[in-house]
């Protein structure tokens, strides 16, 4: 079982930045795809960004050019750098891993973009 722990959420003004972290309990080398998802109140959970073991990335159209996903294999951690934040980015952000041991989710971290 893979344990994922997110951190870095908080309250930020529109136009501001945050960096989310997702620490995994096992080596990222054993995980095929790591991803960030988000769920706003009253809405379905949606994909934000993914990164494969090879380093290939994919982004939702709504965040392209503003968000960057990256990974630090030595720290078993995946990051989501979020710039130019908008009120519509407000949501609980979840980390997800998918690999040979299965699919796992973190507990989520709240991001609120408001003035």
């Amino acid at each position: 079982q893979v344990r994922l722990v997110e951190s870095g959420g908080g309250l930020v003004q529109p136009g501001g930045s945050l960096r989310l972290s997702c620490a995994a309990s096992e080596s990222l080398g054993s995980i095929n795809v790591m991803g960030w998802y988000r769920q706003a109140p009253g809405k379905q959970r949606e994909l934000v960004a993914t990164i494969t073991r090879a380093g290939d990335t994919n982004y939702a159209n709504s965040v392209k050019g503003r968000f960057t996903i990256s990974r630090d294999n030595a720290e078993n951690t995946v990051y989501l750098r979020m710039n130019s934040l908008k009120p519509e980015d407000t949501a609980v952000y979840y980390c997800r891993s998918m690999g040979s041991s299965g699919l796992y989710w973190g507990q989520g971290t709240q991001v609120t973009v408001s003035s």
Side-chain angles (χ1 to χ4, degrees), residues 21-101:
S21 300
C22 172
S25 61
E26 68 178 52
S27 170
L28 295 185
S30 66
I31 299 173
N32 294 331
V33 183
M34 293 290 295
W36 286 98
Y37 292 73
R38 67 187 181 187
Q39 187 167 17
K43 295 187 177 182
Q44 290 187 330
R45 193 171 297 188
E46 62 176 4
L47 168 74
V48 176
T50 60
I51 185 166
T52 69
R53 188 166 49 192
D56 298 321
T57 58
N58 180 55
Y59 296 91
N61 288 333
S62 59
V63 307
K64 280 183 181 177
R66 299 189 298 124
F67 291 11
T68 302
I69 188 171
S70 62
R71 58 195 293 159
D72 184 335
N73 291 336
E75 297 293 328
N76 294 335
T77 300
V78 174
Y79 301 98
L80 184 68
R81 178 68 180 181
M82 306 185 294
N83 295 327
S84 302
L85 282 162
K86 304 175 182 180
E88 51 263 44
D89 295 317
T90 295
V92 178
Y93 283 70
Y94 297 91
C95 180
R96 190 187 88 164
S97 71
M98 185 171 67
S100 58
S101 61

Side-chain angles (χ1 to χ4, degrees), residues 3-26:
R3 192 166 69 96
L4 303 171
V5 180
E6 301 102 330
S7 61
L11 173 64
V12 63
Q13 291 186 341
S17 299
L18 281 175
R19 189 182 76 161
L20 305 183
S21 300
C22 172
S25 61
E26 68 178 52

